[in-house]
Amino acid sequence: MEKTKKILAIDDDLEFTDAIKGLLKLANYDVVIASNPKEGKEKFFSEKPDLILLDIMMDTPVDGFSLCHEFKTSRKEGEKDIPVIFVSAVKEKFGSRYSFTGDEAGMRGPDDYIDKPVKPEELLACIQKHLKK
Amino acid sequence: MRMKLQTKFFLGILGVFLLLAIVVAVASINWINNNAIKEAQHRVELHIRAAWDIYEEKRMQIHSTLDILAQSSEIKAFLNKQENTKDFFSLREELEDIRKKYNMDLLNIIDAEGIVILRTRQPFNTGDDLSDDPLISQVLLTKDSYEKDIILTPERLNIEGDGMTEKCSKFGGEPRGMLTGAAVPLIENDNLLGVMHMGSLLNGATEIVDKIRERIFEDEYYNEKPIGTATIFMGDLRISTNVVDNQGGRAIGTRVSREVNEHVLEKGLPWTGRAWVVNAWYLSRYDPIKDPESNIIGMLYIGELEEKYLDMRTRTVETVLGIIFGGMLVAILISFLIIRSILIPIKKLSFATKNISNGSLSSRVKVKTRDEVGNFAKSFNKMADQLDKHEQRIRQKQSELKTINKELQKINRNYMEMLGFVSHELKNPLASAIMSLYTVKDGYLGEINEAQKKGLASVAKSLDYFHDMIKNYLDLSRLEKGELKPHKKIVALKAEVIDPVLAGFEQEMSQKKIGVENLIPEKTALYADSDLLRIVYDNLLSNAIKYGRKGGKIRLSVEEDKSWMILSVYNEGQGIPEDRIARLFKKFSRLDSPGFAGKKGTGLGLYICKEIIEKHGGKIRVDSQEGKWAKFIFSLPK
């Protein structure tokens, strides 16, 4: 029997994390919630999640981009690359001018992007896609 | 060709003057030609009369001398053979002295029968019959004196004197002589005793011709050529002349031209005209010389050097042309000054007009003349004043408008920024709401019954509409703030635009059982902004699904021509009423008919599409058959 996958969701919108926590649990995932980047970083190292859902704009100086970069570059030798998926409304605010995949200015980008609002089906499909890899 | 007004005027006047000058010059040259030459010919005709007088003077002299001699009783006595007559030899000596004194070539006494009885030059050569001599026979017949020129045959010349034939031959090469002279009857008591004949050979003589030249032409020379010349012809042969030949001697022995020969010698008519005489052109006159029997035996010629007339004509033409062109220059100078005085104020006006048209409205003209130009300048200045005032008013209004415009822009920008901010801020709670709602509605949190599902579906529809609204308002705010500028690059239409957008609609389409026929080839590439193109397709597909017939078809296609890509989105469904088409792409224009049961539109999607396409340089339009289908077609430059 396959081990239950653990998903870390980092978002300062608690209503949204509540909503996806319920959904993901029902979909048989372990869910860890962090409501700010600091907490997210701690949980990333302590919980060792299989996948990270990350908001971009949070009310802190550290944003999703730098956090993503940190996650992607902290991998030790022999460790598996952890997929990072941005779940954010930021795309439309900035006219989608961010490069979400490229590494402009040496930043490591995320594996995927989901535009808020998102429907349960889409979110689950996206998670499944990246866990299968 | 562009020309200054001054140049035009000047060239015009120059042209007129030049034309005038040419006409006048041609007319005067013509006039001079006709008159000068005619005058010269007329003069030649006058001169020939004088020449004839001089020519005949010689004969008259001979005639008078003979008349006096004829009175001599000694000669009559000699003819009557009276006793007391001087003897033959003393008479002959006396008469021979007279012949020599008058430089005559012959002096003969002939009896009434025409037999020579005394020949002073050849006293032993008498007895020959001269009754055939045209002059002698005339006197014998009429018993009256007669003077005329005759031709002497070589035989006759031999008889008349030793060496006379040779003398004649020397002057012209012909052994004939042309003799001018007279014969008088010797009469006593009405009885004709005989005839006395005296004459002078013209061959080689210079007296007559030189006299003609001296009296008529005063021995003048022109360019080392004699102005006038005279010639006596025996037949067509020059026997006495002062025409100079190429060696500088008298041109004796040369012959006349064929034309003159025919006209004068054969037809007996005088000839007047230009003639090439030995070495120059002469205005010439040839008159026939006749013997007593009216046979033409020679010609009297006089000629006046044409060169003199030609030079005179040239000088006259030069003078006339000089006067014409001098006058023309003065006239042109005057007209130039006049034109300038007219044009200077016009130039000033033109300069001022240019200044005004360049925006310096303070430009005025100083023209003081009281003519039309002066009035024009006054009106011009008035107009400039008005313009100046008007301009100032406009400027004031402009600056007011600018201020207002700035304020409006600021307000609009603030509004749009706020709109963007609010829209975005609405998204997060909406995201939570949608997530929770759909988790419940789609049964992730446990089974719900149909009535609950229906209720939740209605909430979901409202939330989706809410989401559309936010999306469109965000696009609109960016559009109005000018943020949506195309950043063009090569875009793979299917992979980068169509497929991702279609993926977002998968769920909705399967719910409505709508099939997509994607005719866009994998390799189709555009030069466009892929993000903006996604917004266009997002809106057009969203409409196609929203208004599409359940179980209907959506077709995406592309065509290209030389410089355009033509893209279209077709859907089966209710279509668009014709009267709506015009307003379709306007802001807040909705397709929904009042009874429409599907999703509500925001009224912004097509407006945003149109703006994006136009910013790419393209156009959008719609075709539709109401109740059946709708097709949105847009073009993008390649």
Side-chain angles (χ1 to χ4, degrees), chain A residues 16 19 26 92 116-117 120-121, chain B residues 427 438 444-445 467 478 507:
Chain A
F16 186 72
L26 282 165
E92 276 161 8
K116 273 188 193 169
E121 262 177 81
Chain B
K427 267 183 115 176
Y438 274 85
Y444 290 102
L445 300 180
H467 179 210
R478 287 207 300 274
Q507 206 187 347

Side-chain angles (χ1 to χ4, degrees), chain A residues 13 15-16 19-20 22-23 26 89-90 92-93 95-97 115-124, chain B residues 421 424 427-432 434-436 438-439 442 444-445 464 467 471 474 478 485 487 507 529 531:
Chain A
D13 185 347
E15 307 302 324
F16 186 72
I20 56 170
L23 175 70
L26 282 165
V90 86
E92 276 161 8
K93 173 154 184 173
S96 68
R97 295 252 171 264
D115 195 20
K116 273 188 193 169
V118 59
K119 286 170 190 168
E121 262 177 81
E122 289 170 50
L123 182 65
L124 292 176
Chain B
F421 175 76
H424 180 253
K427 267 183 115 176
N428 274 328
L430 182 67
S432 308
I434 284 177
M435 181 53 78
S436 303
Y438 274 85
T439 311
D442 294 346
Y444 290 102
L445 300 180
D464 282 343
H467 179 210
K471 252 196 330 200
L474 272 168
R478 287 207 300 274
K485 282 193 188 108
H487 289 64
Q507 206 187 347
D529 186 315
D531 292 326

Side-chain angles (χ1 to χ4, degrees), chain B residues 222-225 279-283 304-315:
Chain B
Y222 188 82
N223 285 347
E224 293 172 11
K225 291 181 193 119
N279 59 4
W281 282 104
Y282 281 83
L283 295 164
E304 199 160 1
L305 195 66
E306 194 190 34
E307 208 172 307
K308 193 183 99 176
Y309 284 99
L310 292 180
D311 286 357
M312 205 165 78
R313 188 180 68 184
T314 310
R315 273 199 305 278

Side-chain angles (χ1 to χ4, degrees), chain B residues 488-540:
Chain B
K488 292 188 186 180
K489 60 183 177 62
I490 304 286
V491 181
L493 182 62
K494 188 165 180 294
E496 288 185 59
V497 180
I498 307 288
D499 287 349
V501 175
L502 273 177
F505 290 113
E506 252 166 41
Q507 206 187 347
E508 273 179 74
M509 286 192 297
S510 67
Q511 270 173 15
K512 280 188 87 172
K513 297 190 169 56
I514 289 175
V516 176
E517 193 182 341
N518 188 354
L519 299 178
I520 294 171
E522 203 74 53
K523 64 180 196 317
T524 300
L526 294 170
Y527 187 62
D529 186 315
S530 57
D531 292 326
L532 297 183
L533 221 49
R534 272 196 290 272
I535 294 175
V536 171
Y537 269 102
D538 194 66
N539 276 304
L540 292 180

Side-chain angles (χ1 to χ4, degrees), chain A:
Chain A
M1 165 110 177
E2 210 179 325
K3 190 188 160 230
T4 310
K5 301 283 186 187
K6 191 183 274 178
I7 294 171
L8 171 60
I10 310 169
D11 196 325
D12 61 352
D13 185 347
L14 292 177
E15 307 302 324
F16 186 72
T17 47
D18 274 356
I20 56 170
K21 189 175 178 181
L23 175 70
L24 293 178
K25 276 198 168 156
L26 282 165
N28 259 335
Y29 293 113
D30 277 347
V31 184
V32 183
I33 301 292
S35 59
N36 58 58
K38 189 172 165 259
E39 194 186 340
K41 219 157 40 177
E42 283 169 11
K43 292 203 168 151
F44 172 73
F45 291 113
S46 60
E47 302 282 345
K48 299 206 181 305
D50 297 297
L51 184 140
I52 298 159
L53 299 175
L54 182 57
D55 189 14
I56 297 173
M57 300 277 284
M58 288 169 284
D59 291 335
T60 54
V62 188
D63 65 15
F65 287 104
S66 49
L67 210 55
C68 172
H69 178 71
E70 215 177 317
F71 292 158
K72 288 286 187 183
T73 51
S74 64
R75 182 161 60 106
K76 288 184 188 99
E77 198 73 25
E79 272 180 358
K80 218 173 79 179
D81 182 46
I82 310 296
V84 177
I85 300 170
F86 278 172
V87 183
S88 174
V90 86
K91 182 177 176 183
E92 276 161 8
K93 173 154 184 173
F94 291 97
S96 68
R97 295 252 171 264
Y98 276 120
S99 168
F100 295 110
T101 52
D103 49 1
E104 284 166 37
M107 296 286 276
R108 284 289 306 272
D111 296 79
D112 210 339
Y113 176 85
I114 292 175
D115 195 20
K116 273 188 193 169
V118 59
K119 286 170 190 168
E121 262 177 81
E122 289 170 50
L123 182 65
L124 292 176
C126 185
I127 290 169
Q128 257 166 25
K129 188 173 113 190
H130 287 283
L131 284 177
K132 267 183 194 162
K133 273 184 185 169

Side-chain angles (χ1 to χ4, degrees), chain B residues 200-394:
Chain B
S200 170
L201 276 174
L202 293 168
N203 302 54
T206 58
E207 185 195 342
I208 295 175
V209 288
D210 285 354
K211 216 183 250 176
I212 290 172
R213 192 180 73 187
E214 185 196 323
R215 292 219 200 131
I216 299 177
F217 301 113
E218 293 172 333
D219 274 343
E220 267 182 59
Y221 279 76
Y222 188 82
N223 285 347
E224 293 172 11
K225 291 181 193 119
I227 280 180
T229 54
T231 301
I232 296 165
F233 287 86
M234 182 175 71
D236 63 344
L237 186 72
R238 283 189 181 85
I239 54 167
S240 167
T241 185
N242 43 36
V243 172
V244 177
D245 65 15
N246 291 326
Q247 279 75 46
R250 290 177 190 258
I252 284 169
T254 56
R255 289 177 192 270
V256 81
S257 72
R258 192 175 163 70
E259 187 194 343
V260 174
N261 189 335
E262 278 176 11
H263 197 83
V264 183
L265 293 175
E266 289 175 19
K267 293 183 187 156
L269 299 167
W271 190 91
T272 311
R274 288 176 83 220
W276 179 253
V277 178
V278 182
N279 59 4
W281 282 104
Y282 281 83
L283 295 164
S284 308
R285 169 75 178 210
Y286 293 85
D287 270 8
I289 298 172
K290 293 173 181 174
D291 76 355
E293 291 167 344
S294 289
N295 295 314
I296 297 158
I297 56 167
M299 296 183 287
L300 177 65
Y301 153 88
I302 62 159
E304 199 160 1
L305 195 66
E306 194 190 34
E307 208 172 307
K308 193 183 99 176
Y309 284 99
L310 292 180
D311 286 357
M312 205 165 78
R313 188 180 68 184
T314 310
R315 273 199 305 278
T316 315
V317 169
E318 277 170 6
T319 312
V320 168
L321 286 182
I323 290 168
I324 289 167
F325 281 99
M328 199 176 85
L329 273 182
V330 172
I332 286 169
L333 192 76
I334 290 170
S335 58
F336 180 75
L337 290 176
I338 292 173
I339 289 169
R340 238 170 63 113
S341 75
I342 293 171
L343 286 182
I344 282 175
I346 290 180
K347 261 188 195 160
K348 279 189 193 164
L349 272 164
S350 155
F351 183 70
T353 312
K354 212 182 257 172
N355 275 345
I356 285 183
S357 69
N358 286 341
S360 63
L361 293 177
S362 57
S363 197
R364 296 290 181 275
V365 199
K366 278 179 205 152
V367 174
K368 300 233 161 50
T369 52
R370 281 158 170 264
D371 53 13
E372 288 88 338
V373 178
N375 287 339
F376 182 29
K378 240 186 249 168
S379 309
F380 177 87
N381 286 341
K382 218 179 200 173
M383 179 198 77
D385 286 343
Q386 291 288 337
L387 270 177
D388 207 358
K389 271 182 210 157
H390 198 64
E391 167 82 7
Q392 276 169 10
R393 276 204 300 273
I394 287 174

Side-chain angles (χ1 to χ4, degrees), chain B residues 61-252:
Chain B
Q61 259 175 20
I62 297 168
H63 195 160
S64 314
T65 312
L66 279 179
D67 272 343
I68 294 161
L69 278 176
Q71 303 306 316
S72 158
S73 53
E74 280 171 40
I75 294 171
K76 286 174 188 170
F78 169 73
L79 280 168
N80 284 329
K81 311 231 189 318
Q82 287 167 355
E83 290 295 318
N84 62 341
T85 48
K86 275 185 187 171
D87 74 356
F88 174 80
F89 290 102
S90 62
L91 182 65
R92 180 250 154 190
E93 239 166 77
E94 231 172 86
L95 289 175
E96 178 66 3
D97 285 345
I98 291 169
R99 181 189 75 82
K100 281 182 176 159
K101 183 184 163 197
Y102 288 106
N103 204 14
M104 291 293 125
D105 284 299
L106 66 85
L107 176 53
N108 298 336
I109 294 173
I110 299 115
D111 72 8
E113 306 304 316
I115 308 296
V116 177
I117 54 173
L118 179 66
R119 181 169 268 131
T120 62
R121 213 169 161 171
Q122 299 276 55
F124 307 105
N125 210 351
T126 54
D128 51 314
D129 186 353
L130 289 185
S131 56
D132 284 344
D133 182 293
L135 192 64
I136 307 294
S137 62
Q138 193 73 24
V139 179
L140 290 174
L141 195 72
T142 59
K143 294 176 186 169
D144 204 353
S145 61
Y146 202 72
E147 50 172 88
K148 209 69 181 174
D149 306 321
I150 54 170
I151 295 290
L152 299 182
T153 60
E155 298 80 36
R156 176 84 185 270
L157 283 172
N158 268 333
I159 296 167
E160 290 296 345
D162 287 338
M164 270 174 77
T165 317
E166 289 72 24
K167 186 191 165 195
C168 287
S169 300
K170 198 174 106 193
F171 297 114
E174 270 193 31
R176 293 189 302 146
M178 189 163 148
L179 188 86
T180 187
V184 293
L186 298 164
I187 290 172
E188 197 183 45
N189 303 328
D190 284 339
N191 287 326
L192 180 68
L193 300 175
V195 179
M196 189 152 59
H197 178 205
M198 187 159 75
S200 170
L201 276 174
L202 293 168
N203 302 54
T206 58
E207 185 195 342
I208 295 175
V209 288
D210 285 354
K211 216 183 250 176
I212 290 172
R213 192 180 73 187
E214 185 196 323
R215 292 219 200 131
I216 299 177
F217 301 113
E218 293 172 333
D219 274 343
E220 267 182 59
Y221 279 76
Y222 188 82
N223 285 347
E224 293 172 11
K225 291 181 193 119
I227 280 180
T229 54
T231 301
I232 296 165
F233 287 86
M234 182 175 71
D236 63 344
L237 186 72
R238 283 189 181 85
I239 54 167
S240 167
T241 185
N242 43 36
V243 172
V244 177
D245 65 15
N246 291 326
Q247 279 75 46
R250 290 177 190 258
I252 284 169

